[in-house]
Amino acid sequence: MFFPNEVERVLKSEDEIKRRVAEMGRMLTEEYSGKNPLFLCVLRGASVFFADLIRNVECPLEIDFIRTSSYVGTNSSGDVSVEENIPDIQGRDVVVVEDIVDTARTLSKLKTVLQGMKPSSLKFAVLLDKPSRRDEELADFKADFTGFEIEDYFVVGYGLDVDGKYRNLPYVGVLKN
Ligand code: IMP
Ligand code: MG
């Protein structure tokens, strides 16, 4: 298996991720049974998780893609932008799929923008959450579906990158610092 020098250790193995994503798929299947939800993938970090997750959801969903940006290297710039090109979500049951919640600035900004577009419902599914990274203002921010809560490590793999690299690792690994 590809194990780059910059990676210190595996935090979540391929198997562990697979099992958890299947569980999340079952929860989403239950939540959206009889509905036609729109799953929105936040590019690019959520792409790998998204592809696996939607194949574990058993209802006639649709997919689309949006993009946000805030990170330079391993530091959030704090200045989050959401790409203009958001699909029409009015009246839809929307599930935003993201790789990780860190300070939660990205998702809370996205939440405000998407709420303004009048979806019928709006929920967030994230693979990873680092709750210790929130400052006071966003301390209560919580995704509706979370794969794993993790400590404050910078992680790569399974879609997550450092400067564009290592998204292709099949596991989530801790970056050496
Ligand atoms: P937030 O706005 O601080 O919650 O940051 C969320 C975004 O930062 C995520 O969408 C990721 O792209 C990126 N990010 C946060 N922590 C990590 C990490 O440990 N590894 C890779 N990317 C991360
Ligand atoms: Mg991201």
Side-chain angles (χ1 to χ4, degrees):
M1 189 174 5
F2 180 32
F3 205 93
N5 256 332
E6 276 183 90
V7 173
E8 190 175 275
R9 66 191 166 90
V10 172
L11 186 65
K12 299 293 170 195
S13 70
E14 199 172 352
D15 262 14
E16 228 180 322
I17 294 170
K18 194 172 177 186
R19 279 197 301 273
R20 185 61 183 144
V21 172
E23 273 170 18
M24 294 178 82
R26 284 194 287 275
M27 289 188 258
L28 287 157
T29 299
E30 213 169 281
E31 178 90 22
Y32 293 98
S33 89
K35 295 186 173 157
N36 172 31
L38 175 62
F39 276 57
L40 283 185
C41 174
V42 183
L43 293 171
R44 286 179 285 225
S47 56
V48 177
F49 172 47
F50 186 78
D52 285 343
L53 184 66
I54 58 171
R55 284 178 290 173
N56 281 280
V57 181
E58 298 178 6
C59 68
L61 58 83
E62 292 170 39
I63 65 170
D64 217 322
F65 301 86
I66 56 176
R67 193 185 285 272
T68 61
S69 66
S70 73
Y71 260 66
V72 179
T74 59
N75 282 302
S76 176
S77 66
D79 181 19
V80 179
S81 66
V82 182
E83 201 182 78
E84 285 309 303
N85 216 354
I86 302 175
D88 185 14
I89 59 168
Q90 187 171 0
R92 301 297 307 268
D93 292 301
V94 175
V95 183
V96 175
V97 180
E98 174 63 309
D99 52 2
I100 189 166
V101 193
D102 187 35
T103 63
R105 286 185 199 127
T106 305
L107 286 195
S108 63
K109 169 81 184 277
L110 195 53
K111 193 172 185 174
T112 308
V113 172
L114 295 180
Q115 285 292 12
M117 299 174 74
K118 306 268 181 286
S120 161
S121 68
L122 177 62
K123 296 212 170 183
F124 290 85
V126 305
L127 179 70
L128 301 168
D129 186 5
K130 296 194 266 192
S132 67
R133 293 268 300 160
R134 312 274 207 288
D135 48 18
E136 235 170 87
E137 183 197 349
L138 294 173
D140 294 335
F141 189 94
K142 190 116 191 59
D144 304 278
F145 304 90
T146 301
F148 306 97
E149 289 197 353
I150 63 171
E151 287 174 52
D152 182 15
Y153 304 118
F154 196 85
V155 290
V156 294
Y158 200 70
L160 292 123
D161 72 306
V162 60
D163 291 332
K165 284 184 297 181
Y166 306 138
R167 296 192 196 273
N168 55 321
L169 303 178
Y171 53 87
V172 171
V174 177
L175 195 73
K176 278 181 191 155
N177 55 34

